[in-house]
Amino acid sequence: MSAAAFIEKNKDRFLNELLDLLRIPSVSADPKFKNDVFAAANFVKESLEKAGADVAEICETAGYPIVYGEKIIDPSLPTVLVYGHYDVQPADPYELWDSPPFEPVIKKTAAHPEGAIFARGSADDKGQFYMHVKAFEAMMATGELTCNVKFMIEGEEEVGSDNLDAFVIANKERLKADVILISDTHMISMQDPSITVGLRGMAYMEVEVTGANRDLHSGTYGGAVANPINVLCKMIASLKDENEHITIPGFYDKVQELAEEQRKRLNEAPFELKEYQDKLDIESVHGEKDYTTIERVGIRPTLDVNGIWGGYTGEGAKTVLPSKAFAKISMRLVPDQDWHEIAKLFEDHFKSIAPKSVKVKVKKHHGGAPAVVSDSSVGYRAAEAAMEETFGKRPIPTREGGSIPIVALFQKELGSDPILFGFGLDTDALHSPNEHYGVKNYFIGIETIAAFFRHFRNLNQQ
Ligand code: BES
Ligand code: MN
Ligand code: MN
């Protein structure tokens, strides 16, 4: 039996196993789910074992464990390292979900006429890394495994992968591979397959603005003492000018400007502004002047407030002049911006624009480097050939706005090419309520991964 026939024959089981994994609420950000995160790690380990791995182990870290697995069929053959994450984003706000986030259901959508699995983590990243486990199982079962394979599935991606760098550096030999496959990104659409070749980096900050040493009566003191919420809003507003250009001095110093020719090619990717706006129910897009939407997310840095709080937010009205205001602010970075440098520029600038009437604290959460990967490596060509085979169309390279900080570390420490082999769609509602992943995407992904192994082996032998 061929791997493709095996996949076809085991479709129901492959789907049901993923649904079981999705029932585990492995939210890494919230300690309340600690046991579930460990349970998900165990689930991954057991699935690797069942699929035929010789080694499948839970590697403890200072945080959540990394699951490592491998099957070495012949050390002289090429080796594929698969990276993914079994942790998920918090599902909040729960009330905005049409069905409970950890009780997966399959429903049709406009983008997924054959049905999509609705659950937190379905697209990011359980549904995507699990395709690799199932492709591995199918290749093992049918004698079609043509390369050695290693798995490294972590549990802290959604909280900044704090313990992964040390693990990678300590296990360089063990993780040695000829290519790294990561399915944790999007493609343009089912009709327009694509392979991501650029990801943005990130610097995530938190600020605290303090006015008086206690909350005050807003009548007795209002107008005479700084309101830290008003001040914070003003400070945040000043971080971008009327062209949506970031005003932090030095922020753009290291930003690589693309040549006209490269920009032109980037903008040749299929993109319908009207459709993009309609899907989001917005009248107009909003961003840096003189750049297209594709460029604004793909090759330009940006700054966003992720959350802002302070004062009274309960029922009814309370008159209060709060003592403190807070905001979480992230900056998406592009080559060659360094996140530690950017964090420092932000901190210095933010403190410098604070009026004397308030005190400001700036804290650095986490960050990561941007990455650009080759679109002509052997791995890329194998991925391209595999997608062309299963989608019937040659994929195009794209640059995405999201971040997977570990990609740059892989390039530096392991020296092998990471391939961003994602099968999700940008409408899959990652990190949002009603996250979903197409059933068809899941199966075509499994098939494409199996095809990748074949092409990668062949290209390496040429
Ligand atoms: N899978 C995403 C990254 C992603 C999403 C890349 C869509 C490209 C397209 C990943 O799980 C993620 O959410 N990353 C975080 C990184 C952060 C926590 C350091 C992100 O991009 O916000
Ligand atoms: Mn992800
Ligand atoms: Mn994510």
Side-chain angles (χ1 to χ4, degrees):
M1 195 191 307
S2 68
F6 184 88
I7 296 166
E8 185 57 41
K9 194 170 152 237
N10 288 281
K11 265 192 154 167
D12 289 347
R13 180 171 60 83
F14 279 15
L15 187 59
N16 285 326
E17 284 177 19
L18 172 59
L19 301 186
D20 284 341
L21 175 58
L22 290 169
R23 286 189 187 98
I24 308 174
S26 49
V27 179
S28 51
D30 186 344
K32 179 165 98 212
F33 296 102
K34 192 170 171 209
N35 292 339
D36 300 298
V37 184
F38 281 99
N42 212 44
F43 185 104
V44 178
K45 173 187 173 266
E46 284 174 3
S47 352
L48 287 171
E49 268 165 3
K50 278 187 231 152
D54 290 334
V55 176
E57 52 184 61
I58 304 247
C59 308
E60 301 298 337
T61 72
Y64 288 123
I66 293 161
V67 183
Y68 178 79
E70 66 177 40
K71 176 73 197 179
I72 308 296
I73 46 172
D74 174 352
S76 68
L77 289 174
T79 301
V80 177
L81 171 66
V82 175
Y83 163 81
H85 61 95
Y86 63 81
D87 66 321
V88 302
Q89 282 277 319
D92 312 72
Y94 278 61
E95 65 276 15
L96 296 184
W97 285 76
D98 296 329
S99 56
F102 300 106
E103 294 171 28
V105 290
I106 296 173
K107 283 186 295 188
K108 294 187 167 84
T109 72
H112 299 289
E114 290 167 50
I117 310 156
F118 282 76
R120 171 56 87 230
S122 53
D124 186 10
D125 177 39
K126 287 173 172 170
Q128 295 221 62
F129 88 73
Y130 206 65
M131 300 182 307
H132 290 267
V133 181
K134 293 298 103 180
F136 167 54
E137 180 187 326
M139 291 186 287
M140 280 296 289
T142 55
E144 282 189 17
L145 185 66
T146 49
C147 305
N148 302 310
V149 60
K150 297 177 176 178
F151 287 87
M152 179 173 71
I153 313 295
E154 71 151 319
E156 297 186 304
E157 198 276 344
E158 298 293 8
V159 287
S161 304
D162 282 349
N163 298 295
L164 192 60
D165 292 31
F167 181 84
V168 170
I169 292 166
N171 291 281
K172 267 190 198 177
E173 246 339 279
R174 202 174 192 199
L175 297 171
K176 222 171 142 65
D178 298 283
V179 69
I180 304 171
L181 285 187
I182 306 173
S183 295
D184 195 21
T185 50
H186 300 134
M187 7 173 239
I188 296 172
S189 69
M190 281 305 238
Q191 292 70 44
D192 297 294
S194 58
I195 299 174
T196 305
V197 294
L199 289 167
R200 288 193 287 189
M202 147 95 79
Y204 201 113
M205 316 294 290
E206 183 165 326
V207 299
E208 178 188 306
V209 177
T210 307
N213 56 3
R214 59 181 171 89
D215 284 5
L216 304 171
H217 189 288
S218 68
T220 314
Y221 293 98
V225 174
N227 179 327
I229 302 182
N230 294 21
V231 171
L232 174 60
C233 290
K234 239 188 186 163
M235 289 169 73
I236 289 171
S238 79
L239 296 176
K240 286 185 178 181
D241 69 13
E242 68 282 7
N243 296 323
E244 289 291 301
H245 214 70
I246 293 156
T247 55
I248 301 169
F251 185 85
Y252 291 97
D253 285 2
K254 297 204 173 159
V255 170
Q256 265 183 29
E257 298 288 340
L258 263 63
E260 266 321 302
E261 184 48 39
Q262 281 175 294
R263 281 181 72 175
K264 208 175 135 238
R265 224 175 317 126
L266 197 68
N267 283 300
E268 279 165 7
F271 178 77
E272 288 299 328
L273 185 60
K274 170 96 173 60
E275 194 187 318
Y276 182 86
Q277 292 175 163
D278 286 351
K279 279 186 186 154
L280 298 173
D281 196 15
I282 52 176
E283 291 290 316
S284 167
V285 290
H286 188 97
E288 192 181 359
K289 192 165 175 262
D290 299 329
Y291 290 93
T292 64
T293 298
I294 288 182
E295 292 171 335
R296 285 169 179 171
V297 295
I299 58 165
R300 298 299 294 170
T302 192
L303 178 152
D304 277 290
V305 179
N306 298 262
I308 181 164
W309 69 101
Y312 183 70
T313 55
E315 286 292 312
K318 174 188 179 188
T319 50
V320 61
L321 203 164
S323 165
K324 286 182 189 292
F326 305 83
K328 292 188 192 280
I329 301 175
S330 67
M331 290 162 280
R332 296 276 172 178
L333 312 177
V334 300
D336 296 316
Q337 287 177 300
D338 173 274
W339 85 270
H340 295 287
E341 265 173 44
I342 292 292
K344 178 83 172 73
L345 291 177
F346 175 91
E347 177 171 356
D348 291 349
H349 178 67
F350 205 72
K351 286 182 171 161
S352 81
I353 59 173
K356 253 209 183 106
S357 51
V358 298
K359 296 182 190 74
V360 169
K361 277 192 198 154
V362 177
K363 177 169 124 188
K364 185 157 101 172
H365 273 287
H366 60 72
V372 171
V373 304
S374 160
D375 62 1
S376 55
S377 65
V378 176
Y380 186 90
R381 283 188 284 127
E384 195 174 50
M387 274 191 145
E388 189 162 6
E389 186 179 314
T390 52
F391 287 85
K393 192 167 178 183
R394 195 183 168 86
I396 60 166
T398 55
R399 292 223 198 175
E400 280 201 71
S403 310
I404 309 177
I406 198 64
V407 171
L409 184 93
F410 282 156
Q411 290 174 316
K412 184 165 156 255
E413 297 297 335
L414 301 181
S416 26
D417 290 304
I419 307 298
L420 299 162
F421 213 20
F423 295 88
L425 302 182
D426 62 2
T427 48
D428 288 347
L430 272 62
H431 296 199
S432 306
N434 302 316
E435 175 180 350
H436 54 278
Y437 188 50
V439 174
K440 192 169 174 187
N441 300 60
Y442 179 60
F443 287 111
I444 204 167
I446 297 172
E447 252 178 78
T448 311
I449 290 161
F452 173 89
F453 275 71
R454 194 167 7 91
H455 288 289
F456 191 63
R457 160 88 170 258
N458 290 341
L459 286 171
N460 269 289
Q461 278 173 340
Q462 275 166 20

